[in-house]
Amino acid sequence: MNRAIRSYVLRQGRTTPAQTRALEALLPKYGLAFSEKKIEKALVFGREAPLVLEIGSGMGETTARIAAEHPEADFIAVEVHGPGVGSLLNRIEKDKLSNLRVVRHDAVAVLRLMIADGSLAAVHLFFPDPWPKKRHHKRRLVQPSFVSLAKDKLAARGIVHLATDWPDYAEQMDLAFSNEPLFQRAEKGFVERPETKFETRGRRLGNPIRDLYFRRR
Ligand SMILES: C[S@@+](CC[C@H](N)C(=O)[O-])C[C@H]1O[C@@H](n2cnc3c(N)ncnc32)[C@H](O)[C@@H]1O
C-alpha cells in the first residue's frame, strides 16, 4: 500500500477526562512506544506465549474481553484514535490484564517495523473502516500489499481473522487472501470473537456481518 494514503482520518473527537488521565498516566505503563526496532515479546510480556496483533481496536471493549478470556496468549492492540487508546488503557488497569499492550500508531508501520517476521499466532482486523465510496477504496486496509505483510509476519499455521458488515469489502478481503497461495481458508479464528461496538452499529442498520478466516501454510 502507498503509505501516503492512510486508512484513517484522525478526527479529534471528544476525549473524556478519564481518557486524558489514562493517556498521561497509563500509556507509559501499558503502552509500547512506536519504534523502528522489533519488539522483543518475551521482554514485553515476561514469558513465551502465542502473540496476537489487533489492528484498529476502537474503544477496546472487545480487545480487553478477548485478552481476559485468553490468559494463555499475549495481545498487542494498535489504534490511532486517542480516546479509544485512553479507554483501552483504563480497561487494562481496571481488569489487571498483564497480557495486553497498546501501540498508538499506524498499524501498517507497526506491523512492518515492530513485528518480527514469522512471530504472530494471529492478526485480528474487526470492522475496519469500510471507505464505501469507490474513489476512497484505495484507503481500505485490506489490499494485496496488506496480505503480503500479514503473510510475512504470521508464524506457520497463524490465522488472519477479518470481520466486516460491508458486503463488497468482504468480497475484496476474500479475493485478496484467496489470491495468495500461502493462505488457505479456515473455519474458525484463534479466538471466538465477541460482538464489537461497530458490529452492534452495523447490526442495528441491518447490515450482514461476515467473518473470514485464513490460515498461513
Ligand atoms: C470502524 S472502527 C472499528 C473499531 C473496532 N474494531 C470495532 O469493531 O468496534 C476502525 C478503527 O480502526 C482504526 N484504524 C484505522 N486505520 C488504522 C491504522 N492504519 N492503524 C491503526 N488503527 C487504525 C480507526 O481509528 C478506528 O478506531
Side-chain angles (χ1 to χ4, degrees):
M1 184 189 292
N2 175 352
R3 291 317 297 152
I5 302 169
R6 299 199 186 285
S7 61
Y8 57 88
V9 174
L10 267 187
R11 292 191 184 82
Q12 272 320 308
R14 200 177 96 81
T15 310
T16 65
Q19 290 161 350
T20 304
R21 268 199 310 277
L23 288 168
E24 284 166 6
L26 301 181
L27 197 58
K29 198 166 165 191
Y30 304 118
L32 300 173
F34 175 72
S35 139
E36 300 200 355
K37 269 177 45 192
K38 300 282 181 277
I39 291 172
E40 290 193 49
K41 56 183 181 143
L43 282 183
V44 170
F45 295 101
R47 63 174 185 171
E48 278 300 342
L51 181 65
V52 179
L53 184 111
E54 180 176 353
I55 297 175
S57 43
M59 298 308 281
E61 312 87 334
T62 307
T63 312
R65 183 161 157 205
I66 291 174
E69 287 174 357
H70 292 274
E72 75 285 3
D74 292 327
F75 297 85
I76 294 178
V78 190
E79 174 56 64
V80 284
H81 184 237
V85 172
S87 273
L88 179 53
L89 291 167
N90 278 323
R91 281 173 211 279
I92 296 175
E93 173 88 343
K94 182 169 135 290
D95 299 342
K96 299 186 173 58
L97 298 172
S98 60
N99 62 337
L100 173 56
R101 291 291 177 267
V102 191
V103 187
R104 183 181 181 183
H105 200 81
D106 185 331
V108 174
V110 171
L111 254 182
R112 184 169 290 139
L113 298 168
M114 293 182 76
I115 301 296
D117 284 357
S119 67
L120 296 178
V123 172
H124 288 168
L125 181 60
F126 301 151
F127 303 92
D129 295 302
W131 294 108
K133 291 183 185 145
K134 205 166 176 98
R135 69 189 155 90
H136 286 151
H137 281 187
K138 56 182 180 290
R139 287 180 172 270
R140 287 179 168 179
L141 264 172
V142 181
Q143 333 233 355
S145 57
F146 178 81
V147 174
S148 167
L149 193 55
K151 179 193 72 185
D152 291 345
K153 302 302 170 179
L154 282 167
R157 316 227 12 99
I159 288 273
V160 178
H161 182 171
L162 312 146
T164 183
D165 62 334
W166 283 82
D168 79 308
Y169 199 7
E171 288 311 312
Q172 182 175 334
M173 292 171 171
D174 201 356
L175 192 67
F177 278 91
S178 302
N179 276 341
E180 168 51 63
L182 279 176
F183 280 111
Q184 65 189 140
R185 203 178 294 280
E187 288 305 308
K188 58 188 179 74
F190 183 84
V191 304
E192 210 165 300
R193 183 179 62 73
E195 186 165 318
T196 79
K197 196 161 174 236
F198 270 78
E199 176 178 3
T200 306
R201 199 166 90 166
R203 285 186 188 279
R204 212 184 302 126
L205 294 169
N207 296 347
I209 307 298
R210 200 159 150 208
D211 282 80
L212 298 99
Y213 315 99
F214 292 91
R215 185 184 299 283
R216 195 200 190 291
R217 289 177 205 270

